[in-house]
Amino acid sequence: MMYPTACYKFQRSLTHSKMVTMYGIWCFITVLLFSPVAFSELCNPQDKKVLLQIKKDFNNPYLLASWNPNTDCCNWYCVQCHPETHRINSLVILSSVPQTNLSGPIPPSVGDLPFLETLQFHKLPKLTGPIQPTIAKLTKLKEIYISWTNVSGPVPDFLARLTNLQFLDLSFNNLSGPIPSSLSQLSNLVSLRLDRNRLTGPIPESFGSFKKPGPSLWLSHNQLSGPIPASLANIDPQRIDFSRNKLEGDASVLFGRNKTTQIVDVSRNSLAFDLSKVEFPTSLISLDLNHNQITGSIPVGLTAVDFLQGFNVSYNRLCGEIPQGGRLQKFDVYSYFHNKCLCGSPLTSCK
């Protein structure tokens, strides 16, 4: 402790008549500066009460050990307060340790933090049960990330009420059932991730009515079936990943000369269409069509895609010579092999 020493040095510089008074003032200020009671609590009392209820509902896990009722909840781990209103606007509970003891369903009390803009539960393998219906009350939410958990049940229709949502990530869970068509009502959505679940049924036709350009769509590693909706020709998302499903028919609606899509992966489905008739956007960075039933030839237009970094059309029914030029010869044989009668560099000569 340095406080007595500091007070002693200070008192030597004063006359005896002022020493006692100033000594007391100095030491009183020092105590105030270093005492936790010197700072008023910023956290809203109701928000604090809700957070403590969430901790209790999770059976007081070690992950939330900093949630001490005797401290300011704006300083707690996983929590963020708005700098002006001091209301809780972010709740981000995640773990880098697989053995975390946080378990059980999402507490209903989560819905009692009305100023939340970000809600995240990530890498919590013992988080179970359905997505909590009280989340529908959080109308200020801009971001929901519930990923790498064991949350199950359907993708809830009530999420469409959260019209301020920009990012909805429900990937790497055990969600099942169909994708609600009502999600297309989220006009501010930038990214929709439903990949790595057990979803079934078709891609909703309503997804073509997303406000342009439309959100990036990550629907891979599910059990989705049926055709890719023709309505998707109306949107222009930055990224589309429909890989590893049971989709059938024509995927050419995803492309177009005037689109600005950068990444398309529809690999490992049962898609069947004539590739030679497709016009591709020059904005493409990656195109993966492998393991389908695609026919025709590789269109010459792909040689005009200057920034193509990833390309795979293997395991299809393509024929004809691989067009010369652009970046098509930059890819190895594995990007082209196992086709019906495709030839030319980097495959064997067509002669």
Side-chain angles (χ1 to χ4, degrees):
M1 294 286 288
M2 298 182 64
Y3 311 142
T5 302
C7 291
Y8 173 70
K9 288 181 178 179
F10 182 70
Q11 80 176 55
R12 289 182 61 191
S13 67
L14 301 173
T15 62
H16 181 74
S17 61
K18 297 178 181 178
M19 182 177 65
V20 175
T21 302
M22 296 304 294
Y23 174 83
I25 293 173
W26 173 257
C27 291
F28 177 71
I29 291 172
T30 302
V31 170
L32 281 179
L33 287 173
F34 291 93
S35 171
V37 298
F39 303 98
S40 60
E41 183 166 339
L42 298 176
C43 179
N44 179 274
Q46 181 57 32
D47 287 351
K48 186 173 189 176
K49 181 179 178 182
V50 171
L51 290 173
L52 291 172
Q53 182 61 49
I54 291 172
K55 180 181 179 181
K56 181 180 179 181
D57 291 342
F58 277 136
N59 297 313
N60 302 309
Y62 177 75
L63 190 61
L64 305 181
S66 69
W67 293 19
N68 184 332
N70 297 319
T71 60
D72 188 343
C73 73
C74 287
N75 297 323
W76 291 355
Y77 179 63
C78 305
V79 169
Q80 179 177 298
C81 288
H82 189 278
E84 296 176 359
T85 66
H86 310 300
R87 299 302 299 263
I88 302 297
N89 65 356
S90 176
L91 178 62
V92 176
I93 301 179
L94 53 85
S95 176
S96 58
V97 182
Q99 292 79 22
T100 178
N101 65 336
L102 188 149
S103 62
I106 299 171
S109 46
V110 165
D112 295 325
L113 294 170
F115 289 85
L116 270 190
E117 295 181 9
T118 299
L119 176 63
Q120 180 170 4
F121 296 102
H122 179 62
K123 286 195 174 180
L124 300 169
K126 297 179 183 178
L127 189 70
T128 58
I131 295 174
Q132 181 53 241
T134 58
I135 289 174
K137 297 192 295 181
L138 303 175
T139 56
K140 295 184 183 296
L141 275 177
K142 296 179 181 179
E143 302 173 318
I144 295 178
Y145 306 97
I146 302 174
S147 56
W148 294 81
T149 76
N150 271 302
V151 165
S152 58
V155 176
D157 192 67
F158 64 70
L159 293 172
R161 299 183 221 161
L162 304 175
T163 54
N164 288 309
L165 272 184
Q166 297 175 11
F167 297 90
L168 176 57
D169 183 350
L170 304 179
S171 61
F172 290 84
N173 293 302
N174 281 316
L175 299 172
S176 58
I179 299 173
S181 61
S182 59
L183 294 182
S184 62
Q185 298 170 23
L186 298 172
S187 59
N188 294 304
L189 207 58
V190 174
S191 177
L192 174 62
R193 292 201 61 164
L194 302 176
D195 48 304
R196 305 271 181 167
N197 281 287
R198 294 185 290 114
L199 302 176
T200 55
I203 298 171
E205 185 76 29
S206 64
F207 276 19
S209 62
F210 272 114
K211 184 179 178 181
K212 289 184 178 179
S216 289
L217 297 172
W218 310 61
L219 307 180
S220 69
H221 293 78
N222 280 290
Q223 300 170 37
L224 301 175
S225 58
I228 293 174
S231 64
L232 295 192
N234 300 325
I235 60 173
D236 188 16
Q238 184 182 62
R239 179 170 188 148
I240 295 171
D241 188 350
F242 295 166
S243 62
R244 293 179 183 267
N245 280 289
K246 300 176 180 179
L247 300 172
E248 302 171 346
D250 192 354
S252 62
V253 296
L254 303 177
F255 307 104
R257 182 180 298 174
N258 296 323
K259 289 197 175 188
T260 59
T261 303
Q262 296 180 356
I263 298 173
V264 177
D265 187 349
V266 292
S267 61
R268 295 182 181 270
N269 281 285
S270 296
L271 298 169
F273 59 98
D274 186 346
L275 188 66
S276 59
K277 297 180 180 179
V278 178
E279 293 186 338
F280 290 95
T282 56
S283 56
L284 273 180
I285 296 173
S286 179
L287 176 64
D288 196 342
L289 306 175
N290 81 80
H291 284 83
N292 280 289
Q293 300 166 26
I294 301 170
T295 59
S297 59
I298 297 175
V300 175
L302 274 172
T303 61
V305 182
D306 295 329
F307 300 103
L308 197 61
Q309 302 295 320
F311 183 72
N312 194 336
V313 292
S314 63
Y315 289 92
N316 278 290
R317 300 175 182 177
L318 298 173
C319 273
E321 184 173 7
I322 299 170
Q324 298 291 311
R327 298 189 57 83
L328 293 182
Q329 276 68 49
K330 302 289 185 182
F331 304 102
D332 61 26
V333 64
Y334 299 105
S335 296
Y336 297 98
F337 75 159
H338 282 280
N339 274 285
K340 185 178 180 181
C341 48
L342 202 59
C343 59
S345 177
L347 299 178
T348 56
S349 172
C350 296
K351 295 179 181 180

